[in-house]
Every structure is written in structure tokens, then in C-alpha cells.
Amino acid sequence: MPHELITPSHLARRAVIYIRQSSPHQVLTNQESLRLQYALRSRALELGWHEADIQVIDSDLGLTAASAQHREGFKELLSQVTLGQVGLILSIDVTRLSRNCSDWYPLLDLCGYKQCLIGERDGLYDPGTPNGRLLLGLKGQISELELHTIRLRLTAGLLNKAERGELALTLPVGLVREPQGTVVKDPNREVQARVALVFETFLTQHSAAQVVRVLREQALTLPRRDRFGDITWRRPSVASVVAILRNPAYAGAFVYGRTRTERSGPGPQHARQRRLPINEWKVCVKDKYPSYISWDTFERIQAMLQDNYAEYDRNKTRGIPRPGQALLQGLVYCGVCGHKMVIQYKGGAHYLCNYLRQQFRESVCQYIPANPIDEAVIAAFFAALAPVEFDAYTAAMAERHRTQQALQQARAQQLQRLRYQLALAERQFLQVDPDNRLVAAELESRWEQALREVRDAEQALAQETSCTGASETLDPQLKAAFTTLGQQLPTVWDQLAREQQKAFLRCLIDKVVLQRTASDQVHLRLVWKGEQVTTLDIPLPVGSLAEYAQGTAMTERILALFAEGRDDAEMAEMLTREGFRSPMGTTVLPSTVKTIRLRHGCLQTRHQSHPRRIVGYLTVPQVAERLAVPRHWLYDRLHNGTIELAPDPVTRLYLFPDNPSTLEQLHQLREGQLNRVRFSQEHQDA
């Protein structure tokens, strides 16, 4: 019997049955709910609609109603209501339509405007009437609240289980969960050894990229899990190595909430996962799993990974040591503004503070050459290291022996696995029916591939073993020479690579603060590990004597020493002992003394400088001064032949006759009254 709200205009349009379940799991398991929703067709027939006018929309099966953005069936329903084609929307209950009020109320407005009824299994409502809209609005709010209540209830249970460390999260490779729920190490010893090798290599090389390089040089693969959870062996990559190094499960800790979802807008495409620091993890239960490394080692590895960012200026980390010339990369801070200084290699290595220029378009804060800073820091580093002596040869050989043993063990385990795969391929090939050529051909190909892999692994292992044996035997003469070289680091410093030198400096130095106190001097504050501080004043090279802070005092001292009859070399040595230096050097050069002396007209021998006046003649500067013309005006015409005059063979100067006619002719040449002038050569014949 038709309902009192149903009119002929409703029956003239379509009845749409909207079917939805929240997840694919519910679609497979909640079959009774699915049957009840499809049975709403009989409900539409009871309300007066014909079979041909009933449409079922079930394209949203397995999708949540928390948002309408990803539900194509709901969008299709809205479009039909907008076009006025729907007279009734039927659902098992209104929560099937939406669990979000921002999607629910626009649907009510649209249905009220288009006179479309909304029905469920036990009721029928008209959104265009106050009572209908009130009831539907309450149902929508309850539906949205119910979704949050369910989520909070489930999340509370999940967190409660996680706080006990009993939540069954996906375990990384190297750890497996037994049927009774106990977590143990993978029984495959090769998997255990390869995971341990990654941590050992990183603690030696201090870089994930270097771990990948070592593994690839040794032709070693890494165990990874495929999408089915099975172990597969793949070529190592930086991402796979970092995934192992960052996983706290290897340190025996159960961790939940290592990431946080941040949304920049509605919809899943605006959500991104942000990795949280250790102190912000939601749950961390230590000593829950069997560990490959200790928790202290894990924290040290995380600090090293954070410190290894190349963008150390942006992230305020030191960065990994690199082969650049500047030794204090990532350690230098500006003493003026306090920001980290970067390195610029244009025109030589320099430490540059350009933070204010980047942020506020102001001028560069400081621009300091790197070489004198590095030399002073190295000297301070050696002074701090002098009391600490160590046997470099023994330490290096012991570390190398441990690394080679770990790599050889990894190769041997890999060879053992390949031999098992070879035996398995052989058994599979021998068990196949010979007449089944399609299968036999494929198994034969796998057998041949396994044979090649075993042969290559055996050859590589044999070659590595021979090389290791040769490297472990050191020539006695070479060992004696190494011992004679000494046990202190300064003696072998120049033989180290730049990366190694930087790594040594970082062992003791926390940061270096630079502040230019004068154009030729920098105040350096060296902060050591343990917060000890060393301050130094470092001289910097400058381009001229005017930029040298002690230039005036050094000039006065040079004039005083010249009056005492000192020569240039003697004055340079005395000035160096007194603390002076040349603008571009660390000592006073005799050439600097000579330049200053000549600039003040202090001549030690007369032949060092041309006489200023020659009787009966005028030099080019003298003529230029009397004519009020630049000197190059005369030199240009002397070179192009407009003024014909040969240089004097004794002084090699252009000497003009000192008489009024000379100046008159040159004046007429300048005014354009003469095209060429020629002067006598009598002074050359004298």
C-alpha cells in the first residue's frame, strides 16, 4: 500500500536503491547485510514503483562513507537527483548514504528542492518538510558521531595492545613471528649475518651510500620481503639500507606511531606521512624483540643519519665528510649573526654567511678565505691530540681483518644458499616427465642459471680469499718503515684523503665560530667536544698595504731601519720577528720592504731609479705636465710615428729638447695645425 508521502509525481520518476559496505572484508564476510540491501527492491515495489523504474547503484561496495570524493556511485546518485530523475532514494539505513555531515546536508537540500523522498527499511522521510529534515539531520549527525565513536573505540583498543608491545605489526626482514606469537630471529643464518653486516659496515663507513658501495663491490645482495612476505634477495640500494638502519625493531624495541599523517587539504591526495623524532614516538617498548644492535647504538646511528644530510645549511646538520678542499665543512658558524656558514669554491675556498641575503636580501654577512682558518684549526687539533698516541698500524690491520672476515662469511653464506638452489633446481629437473618439453625446457634453463651463479660465486670467493691472504702478510721492511714513521697522526696527515681528515677533525671538534675583527684578522672560537673552548686570532691575506691594519706602523718602522743603514733582507727578517707581515703572506718579504722604501724615495743605490731630470732635455712626464695632456697621448703618437723621436740609447727614455720650439710644435700638433713633428737626434750622438 503506497505511503501517504508518495505522490504521482514521485511515482513518475525513478526509485534508486543505494547499496554500500564499508570495506572489502565486509563485502566478503557480511553476506547477510548484502542480501538485506538487495532485498530493498521488494520494498520499492510495495511502495508503488514498477520493476522497470527501480535502479540499483552498488558501485561503492567496499568503500567507506567518511568522504564522498572517492565514491563514484554516490556522485552518480547526486547527478540523477539534480536532473530531477529520482523520486525516491532507498537504503538499508541513512548511514549507508553518508557518515559526513558536510556531504549529508547538501544531499538533504538537493532532495528537498527536487522533491525527492529518502527512505530506509523502516521509514520514509520528506527532506522538504521541517519534520523530515529534522529527523534526517539528527540521523546524519548520529551517523557521523557513530563513525568517530567506533574509530575511537578501535584506536583505544589498538593503543592499549600496543602499549604492552603485543600488537602484531609487520616485522622487518631478519625477524619472524612464530605461531604462538613469539618473535625470534630468522632461522636463516645468512639473513641474520647480512643484516648484522649492514650495521657493522655503516658503523665503519659512516654513510649509507658507502654501505651500498661495499656490498656491491663484493657482489652481495640484501634480503627483502616481497608483497607476500617471503624472503627475496635483491641488489642493495640506499633506500633498502636506510630502511634497515632506521628500523628500531633491530634494536629490540617495539615501536608504534613513528609517523604522523599531515593534511594540506581534503582528500587522500593531500595527505603525507611525516617521520617523527624518537622523543615523539607514541609507543616505544624496549627489549621486546631479539636485538641485532643495542639501543645506544641505534640512537647513535640515527644521529649519524640525521647528520649526513647534504643540505647541512638548511637542516642545520654537519653533513657527511666530502672530498672538498675546505676541511671545516658543516662545522663553521658566523660570529656576527650566529647562522651556519656555507662553502664557496669560486676563486678558491671561502666560508660564506649568506643567510641574511637569502632571507632578507641584505648584503653578505662574512666572506672569509678557508685556507688560513683550516691551517690554524689543524694546528690546534694536533696540539690537542699530541698527548694521545696510538698504534695506527695495529688498529688499521685489526679493523681491516674484522671487515674482511665479515665479508668472507657473507660470501660463504651466499654461496651456500646458491648451492642449495642449484640442488633444488637439479631435483626439479630430474623429477619432471621428459615428454613434457615445455616444463622440462624451463626447468633446464633454471638449472643452467643456478650453475652459472654458483660458479661465479665460487670464483669470487676464491679470488677474495687469495687477495686477503696476500694483504695480511706485510713485508718486514715495510712494517719497520711504518714503525719508524711514528705513531702520531701529524706525521701521516698529508697522506690522508680529505674525507678522512674531516672525519678526524669531527672526532674532537663540535663547531667553529668565525668573526672578522679587522680587514686582515679573524677571531676564531673553537668549541671542542665536551664544551671546552679555544680562542685564536688568525691573520688573513689582504690585497694591499692600505688594508693591512699595521701598514702605517710597518712603514714607519721601515723608514727608521733604513735610516740606520739596514738592507731589505735584514729589515724583512727583523720586521717578521716583531710581528709584522706582508699583506698577502705570513712573514715580511724583502720585496714588500723595497716597495715601501721606494714609494718614500729611499734609494739604496742610484741606479735603482731613473734620474728625475736630465740637463737640456725633457722626459715624457715633464712634457705632459707642461702641455696639460695625459702621458698616453704622447706615447700613442710616439708609437704610431706622428711624433718622430727615437729612445735614448743610454737611459732608454724618450728625451725631448728642452727649448720653446719643442713645446710650440707639440702644442700645434695637439691643436691640429701640424700633422707630424720630428725632433733632432743630437742628444743621441753626443
Side-chain angles (χ1 to χ4, degrees), residues 160-226:
N160 187 42
K161 196 171 184 178
E163 288 174 356
R164 301 194 307 268
E166 297 177 0
L167 187 63
L169 299 179
T170 302
L171 295 173
V173 63
L175 296 174
V176 294
R177 183 174 283 105
E178 294 182 339
Q180 62 270 26
T182 306
V183 176
V184 297
K185 287 187 177 181
D186 196 308
N188 190 331
R189 291 187 177 181
E190 184 186 10
V191 174
Q192 294 185 27
R194 199 61 49 85
V195 172
L197 179 62
V198 170
F199 287 106
E200 292 173 4
T201 308
F202 180 81
L203 292 173
T204 303
Q205 301 293 331
H206 308 289
S207 168
Q210 295 299 321
V211 174
V212 174
R213 179 186 61 80
V214 171
L215 294 177
R216 291 196 173 184
E217 286 178 353
Q218 301 297 326
L220 295 174
T221 53
L222 277 182
R224 305 295 293 166
R225 292 196 188 277
D226 58 16

Side-chain angles (χ1 to χ4, degrees), residues 224-422:
R224 305 295 293 166
R225 292 196 188 277
D226 58 16
R227 57 176 182 163
F228 304 108
D230 298 327
I231 296 294
T232 60
W233 293 86
R234 301 173 184 169
R235 295 185 62 192
S237 63
V238 174
S240 61
V241 170
V242 171
I244 293 175
L245 296 172
R246 288 193 182 279
N247 201 315
Y250 292 114
F254 170 86
V255 174
Y256 180 80
R258 288 193 295 159
T259 60
R260 177 183 299 161
T261 302
E262 296 181 345
R263 300 182 181 275
S264 58
Q269 70 275 12
H270 297 286
R272 69 180 186 90
Q273 295 287 330
R274 183 174 71 88
R275 189 171 61 249
L276 299 176
I278 295 178
N279 57 354
E280 296 183 19
W281 288 351
K282 189 167 294 185
V283 177
C284 181
V285 182
K286 299 178 183 178
D287 300 326
K288 191 65 180 179
Y289 302 146
S291 61
Y292 284 83
I293 57 175
S294 66
W295 182 256
D296 292 338
T297 303
F298 175 76
E299 290 183 328
R300 183 156 58 95
I301 289 175
Q302 305 315 300
M304 293 167 65
L305 289 173
Q306 180 66 22
D307 213 28
N308 283 353
Y309 276 112
E311 297 177 343
Y312 57 85
D313 176 51
R314 182 185 305 172
N315 296 290
K316 302 306 177 187
T317 61
R318 300 191 301 176
I320 185 173
R322 299 181 182 275
Q325 180 183 356
L327 292 177
L328 303 180
Q329 158 222 329
L331 302 178
V332 184
Y333 287 81
C334 178
V336 177
C337 65
H339 293 96
K340 184 180 286 291
M341 302 180 73
V342 298
I343 301 172
Q344 185 180 82
Y345 286 108
K346 182 179 180 181
H350 291 81
Y351 295 119
L352 171 69
C353 179
N354 61 351
Y355 178 84
L356 297 179
R357 183 180 64 177
Q358 292 177 345
Q359 299 296 325
F360 307 106
R361 310 312 300 171
E362 297 183 4
S363 59
V364 172
C365 192
Q366 290 193 108
Y367 186 71
I368 300 173
N371 289 340
I373 304 298
D374 291 350
E375 292 173 359
V377 170
I378 291 173
F381 174 75
F382 287 159
L385 196 64
V388 184
E389 295 187 354
F390 56 92
D391 192 338
Y393 169 74
T394 304
M397 291 302 296
E399 181 63 30
R400 182 176 181 181
H401 182 66
R402 286 193 297 269
T403 303
Q404 288 175 345
Q405 279 188 332
L407 292 174
Q408 283 185 356
Q409 182 183 5
R411 280 184 172 275
Q413 291 174 337
Q414 180 170 278
L415 178 58
Q416 185 177 356
R417 173 172 52 85
L418 292 176
R419 284 173 176 169
Y420 167 75
Q421 294 176 354
L422 172 61

Side-chain angles (χ1 to χ4, degrees), residues 633-634 636-644 664-679:
W633 185 87
L634 292 170
D636 287 344
R637 283 149 183 79
L638 286 167
H639 293 157
N640 62 28
T642 304
I643 300 176
E644 296 184 10
E664 180 64 25
Q665 293 182 60
L666 293 175
H667 179 73
Q668 293 176 1
L669 180 66
R670 186 188 64 181
E671 298 296 330
Q673 300 175 4
L674 294 177
N675 296 327
R676 185 184 300 272
V677 294
R678 183 175 183 275
F679 294 99

Side-chain angles (χ1 to χ4, degrees), residues 125-136:
Y125 311 95
D126 183 1
T129 63
N131 288 336
R133 183 175 178 85
L134 175 62
L135 292 174
L136 289 173

Side-chain angles (χ1 to χ4, degrees), residues 5-184:
L5 295 177
I6 300 176
T7 64
S9 63
H10 294 126
L11 295 174
R13 290 175 284 172
R14 191 178 304 159
V16 177
I17 300 174
Y18 182 78
I19 298 175
R20 185 191 63 82
Q21 285 184 300
S22 299
S23 66
H25 178 72
Q26 293 182 6
V27 177
L28 297 175
T29 58
N30 297 358
Q31 292 292 318
E32 193 62 32
S33 172
L34 197 60
R35 294 190 188 97
L36 287 174
Q37 294 189 63
Y38 278 108
L40 290 174
R41 181 183 292 272
S42 61
R43 170 71 170 157
L45 292 174
E46 292 175 1
L47 293 174
W49 269 267
H50 298 289
E51 181 72 28
D53 294 333
I54 300 175
Q55 179 185 359
V56 176
I57 295 179
D58 56 1
S59 57
D60 290 344
L61 281 173
L63 299 177
T64 178
S67 173
Q69 187 172 4
H70 60 287
R71 290 190 291 155
E72 298 299 328
F74 187 77
K75 294 178 182 178
E76 180 185 356
L77 175 64
L78 288 178
S79 64
Q80 293 189 25
V81 174
T82 304
L83 295 174
Q85 299 175 355
V86 182
L88 173 65
I89 299 175
L90 269 179
S91 181
I92 192 71
D93 60 67
V94 293
T95 61
R96 299 295 93 191
L97 291 169
S98 177
R99 285 187 179 272
N100 188 339
C101 287
S102 61
D103 297 328
W104 176 243
Y105 282 107
L107 175 63
L108 297 185
D109 293 337
L110 185 60
C111 290
Y113 179 71
K114 293 295 182 178
Q115 298 181 357
C116 176
L117 303 177
I118 296 178
E120 53 188 7
R121 191 174 55 167
D122 57 354
L124 198 64
Y125 311 95
D126 183 1
T129 63
N131 288 336
R133 183 175 178 85
L134 175 62
L135 292 174
L136 289 173
L138 289 175
K139 285 179 175 286
Q141 290 183 350
I142 293 173
S143 172
E144 184 180 46
L145 179 62
E146 182 184 16
L147 182 64
H148 289 287
T149 303
I150 294 173
R151 183 181 294 115
L152 289 174
R153 189 183 304 124
L154 294 175
T155 303
L158 185 144
L159 288 176
N160 187 42
K161 196 171 184 178
E163 288 174 356
R164 301 194 307 268
E166 297 177 0
L167 187 63
L169 299 179
T170 302
L171 295 173
V173 63
L175 296 174
V176 294
R177 183 174 283 105
E178 294 182 339
Q180 62 270 26
T182 306
V183 176
V184 297

